[in-house]
Amino acid sequence: QVQLVESGGGLVQAGGSLRLSCAASGSIISVNTMGWYRQAPGKQRELVATVTSGGSANTADSVKGRFTISRDNAKNTVYLEMNSLKPEDTAVYYCNANLLRVGSVRAYNYWGQGTQVTVSS
């Protein structure tokens, strides 16, 4: 079994900061790309940022310059540092990891349960 457990969401005022964490655990052989997605009420889930195992990051234009993704390969953990938050950043944030687990012949995408981020104006 593989689990992705997120933490760090909450309520913050506009202009504030939050840091999300997501740790992958279980019978994992290797973790490829990890990332963050978000879904606001009534909207589709969208990409926020991803980072490869080698550290190459890809960030959505809507958060570029404000959000920074990073990861600790030794801990199978990905982080999202969110600064200068805006009310439009309000959403449920989901962690995603493409990983190979014991007993599998290929890597699959796994999702966390989501963590709520609410930015008040």
Side-chain angles (χ1 to χ4, degrees):
Q1 282 284 38
V2 171
Q3 275 191 316
L4 270 61
V5 179
E6 299 134 335
S7 61
L11 173 65
V12 65
Q13 287 189 331
S17 299
L18 283 173
R19 188 188 196 217
L20 305 183
S21 299
C22 171
S25 63
S27 302
I28 297 170
I29 296 174
S30 61
V31 183
N32 302 316
T33 299
M34 302 184 80
W36 292 95
Y37 293 73
R38 68 185 181 184
Q39 187 166 18
K43 294 188 176 182
Q44 288 189 329
R45 190 173 297 188
E46 63 176 4
L47 168 73
V48 177
T50 60
V51 60
T52 67
S53 57
S56 295
N58 176 45
T59 307
D61 288 343
S62 59
V63 303
K64 201 164 288 186
R66 300 188 296 121
F67 291 12
T68 302
I69 190 170
S70 62
R71 64 189 281 176
D72 184 332
N73 289 335
K75 296 180 179 179
N76 289 335
T77 299
V78 63
Y79 306 97
L80 186 68
E81 187 75 35
M82 304 185 294
N83 298 314
S84 302
L85 282 160
K86 304 176 181 179
E88 51 263 43
D89 294 318
T90 295
V92 178
Y93 283 69
Y94 295 91
C95 173
N96 174 272
N98 181 268
L99 60 86
L100 178 65
R101 65 172 180 84
V102 174
S104 180
V105 297
R106 50 158 287 193
Y108 289 91
N109 282 321
Y110 292 82
W111 292 91
Q113 80 284 358
T115 185
Q116 177 70 45
V117 171
T118 302
V119 184
S120 63
S121 57

